[in-house]
């Protein structure tokens, strides 16, 4: 049983705790929040017995094996560093860090602490329907491009419209549509097609400087992939991957609830399965098997593959931001 702690007490943390407990591989022990009262309020209802208002105390607690980090984006790097340096597993909500420099520093910490493990909680990468698409892409005679859409109105946008600056729309907290919903589409592109040769990001910026929505173009040697991303609009558009006369159609490039392969004759075949009610169960199960048996050949191979995809996704997101001239607070502009 993996005894874990959490940083962050929002809805996504609750979803991960529920998923982790559903696997019967994890047990919540500790909760960090800025106040002990808030940590207790979240933790006691979920079975936790330890509460912290200092991250160092959580990271260095010998009873804790792993820490799930769901704080604002700008805090991920420092908090993950503390967890890894304590020889623990860090499960970090996407996006794992803001830029490739931070990512490589985390990797150096991993190398210095071989017992530690680092996971980016990109949940859909671990789901069967994601892997079914990846398999079907490999069976296409020729890939001629894709259009991937994920646009979902954020409840925090109402606060923005009221004149506030929520974390998710703030450059101080590494926010914006690309850094949130865009991570799902970046994972799709990197895992299914590899790294593009050129990128462009046409961002619709808010008064905070963060992007509320945008369109990214990823240019590969023989095709382009378009990413439609938004946190201030809703979209019901399907996403598609184009073959020659065939295609793969998904209801949503992040949720992946329904996926069909349409052959050259127009025959539709459902290649998806009914997903878990909690979409984070698959990742919690995958992370658990690596933590519990890191020397197993398949587990070790999968872990290294996840790390490499995470590195490339981080690089892709950074390149798109640079092209779109979106710079986080204290981040230098490139010439």
């Amino acid at each position: 049983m993996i005894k874990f702690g959490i940083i962050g007490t929002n809805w996504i943390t609750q979803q991960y705790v529920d998923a982790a407990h559903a696997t019967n591989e994890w047990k919540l022990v500790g909760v960090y929040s800025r106040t002990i009262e808030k940590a207790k309020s979240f933790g006691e209802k979920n079975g936790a017995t330890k509460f912290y208002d200092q991250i160092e105390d959580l990271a260095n607690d010998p009873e804790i094996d792993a820490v799930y980090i769901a704080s604002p984006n700008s805090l991920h790097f420092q908090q993950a560093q503390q967890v890894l340096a304590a020889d623990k597993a860090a499960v970090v909500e996407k996006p794992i860090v803001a830029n490739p420099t931070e990512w490589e520093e985390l990797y150096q910490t991993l190398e210095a602490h071989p017992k530690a493990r680092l996971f980016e909680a990109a949940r859909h990468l671990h789901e069967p329907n994601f892997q079914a698409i990846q398999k079907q892409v490999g069976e296409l005679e020729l890939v001629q491009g894709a259009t991937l859409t994920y646009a979902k109105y954020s409840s925090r946008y109402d606060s923005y419209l009221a004149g506030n600056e929520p974390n998710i729309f703030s450059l101080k907290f590494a926010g914006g549509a690309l850094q949130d919903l865009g991570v799902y589409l970046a994972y799709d592109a990197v895992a299914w097609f590899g790294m593009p040769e050129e990128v462009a990001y046409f961002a619709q910026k808010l008064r905070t400087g963060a992007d509320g929505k945008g369109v990214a173009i990823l240019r590969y040697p023989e095709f382009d992939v378009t990413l439609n991303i938004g946190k201030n609009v809703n979209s019901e558009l399907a996403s598609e991957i184009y073959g020659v006369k065939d295609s793969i159609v998904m209801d949503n490039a992040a949720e992946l609830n329904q996926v069909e392969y349409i052959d050259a004759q127009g025959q539709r075949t459902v290649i998806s399965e009914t997903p878990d009610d909690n979409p984070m169960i698959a990742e919690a199960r995958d992370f658990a098997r690596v933590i519990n048996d890191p020397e197993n050949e398949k587990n070790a191979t999968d872990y290294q593959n996840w790390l490499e995809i995470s590195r490339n996704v981080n690089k892709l997101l950074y390149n798109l931001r640079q092209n779109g001239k979106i710079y986080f607070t204290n981040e230098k502009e490139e010439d």
Side-chain angles (χ1 to χ4, degrees):
M1 185 71 67
I2 301 166
K3 295 180 179 179
F4 75 108
I6 57 173
I7 298 173
T9 55
N10 52 29
W11 69 269
I12 199 167
T13 311
Q14 185 64 62
Q15 190 173 57
Y16 187 82
V17 170
D18 291 342
H21 285 167
T23 69
N24 296 315
E25 299 280 358
W26 302 76
K27 177 179 174 57
L28 181 64
V29 172
V31 177
Y32 162 84
S33 187
R34 284 175 291 181
T35 66
I36 293 294
E37 292 73 23
K38 191 171 183 180
K40 283 185 176 181
S41 176
F42 183 92
E44 286 178 345
K45 67 182 179 180
N46 287 290
T49 56
K50 294 191 171 187
F51 311 101
Y52 319 85
D53 57 7
Q54 300 294 322
I55 290 177
E56 295 82 358
D57 295 339
L58 169 61
N60 294 314
D61 189 329
E63 191 176 354
I64 301 292
D65 304 311
V67 178
Y68 171 76
I69 300 172
S71 52
N73 296 345
S74 59
L75 304 179
H76 289 180
F77 170 67
Q78 182 180 3
Q79 293 172 349
Q81 280 280 45
Q82 291 176 281
V83 172
L84 297 177
D87 294 311
K88 303 185 189 306
V91 178
V92 188
E93 258 309 322
K94 53 78 187 162
I96 191 165
V97 288
N99 55 60
T101 298
E102 291 181 347
W103 202 101
E104 294 304 329
E105 288 189 30
L106 286 187
Y107 190 76
Q108 290 172 14
T109 304
L110 272 179
E111 291 187 317
H113 295 269
K115 291 183 180 180
R117 292 292 181 272
L118 177 64
F119 307 94
E120 183 168 17
R123 56 159 182 79
H124 68 321
L125 175 69
H126 302 272
E127 295 176 331
N129 292 346
F130 186 99
Q131 293 152 23
I133 295 170
Q134 190 167 17
K135 180 176 182 293
Q136 193 66 58
V137 169
E139 295 175 359
L140 294 177
E141 178 184 351
L142 181 68
V143 175
Q144 297 198 94
T147 301
L148 306 175
T149 297
Y150 194 24
K152 189 175 181 181
Y153 189 92
S154 169
S155 60
R156 302 297 178 89
Y157 194 63
D158 291 340
S159 177
Y160 165 83
L161 292 175
N164 301 312
E165 187 172 324
N167 293 351
I168 197 62
F169 295 117
S170 172
L171 296 180
K172 291 184 293 185
F173 291 97
L178 181 65
Q179 289 295 113
D180 186 19
L181 302 188
V183 181
Y184 292 98
L185 304 188
Y187 260 91
D188 291 343
V190 170
W192 297 339
F193 313 117
M195 285 292 281
E197 293 186 338
E198 300 177 52
V199 303
Y201 186 47
F202 305 94
Q204 179 179 307
K205 295 183 183 180
L206 306 175
R207 58 173 161 75
T208 64
D211 52 323
K213 65 188 295 289
V215 176
I217 306 296
L218 314 183
R219 176 140 287 180
Y220 291 82
E222 297 180 350
F223 59 87
D224 291 340
V225 173
T226 302
L227 312 181
N228 300 312
I229 309 153
K231 283 189 68 66
N232 57 357
V233 297
N234 285 318
S235 175
E236 302 301 325
L237 285 176
S239 294
E240 300 177 305
I241 300 170
Y242 313 113
V244 180
K245 294 183 179 180
D246 53 352
S247 61
I248 302 167
V249 179
M250 58 208 85
D251 62 333
N252 181 296
E255 304 299 336
L256 305 179
N257 293 314
Q258 175 83 8
V259 185
E260 293 182 313
Y261 171 67
I262 306 175
D263 67 19
Q265 288 72 45
Q267 180 68 39
R268 292 174 175 263
T269 302
V270 175
I271 63 172
S272 56
E273 58 184 64
T274 302
D276 292 318
D277 289 337
N278 187 324
M280 303 176 90
I281 288 177
E283 65 175 353
R285 187 180 293 118
D286 272 353
F287 300 157
R289 67 179 169 85
V290 170
I291 294 170
N292 286 327
D293 191 5
E295 302 305 320
N296 175 278
E297 183 177 356
K298 173 176 171 49
N299 293 347
T301 298
D302 286 347
Y303 175 62
Q304 291 301 322
N305 182 52
W306 300 335
L307 281 177
E308 187 62 21
I309 294 175
S310 175
R311 172 188 273 126
N312 286 334
V313 166
N314 180 265
K315 182 178 179 180
L316 173 57
L317 292 172
Y318 179 75
N319 289 343
L320 287 168
R321 279 201 302 110
Q322 293 296 304
N323 182 268
K325 300 188 182 303
I326 299 172
Y327 309 107
F328 298 144
T329 302
N330 300 323
E331 189 173 52
K332 295 180 179 179
E333 298 184 12
E334 288 194 348
D335 293 333

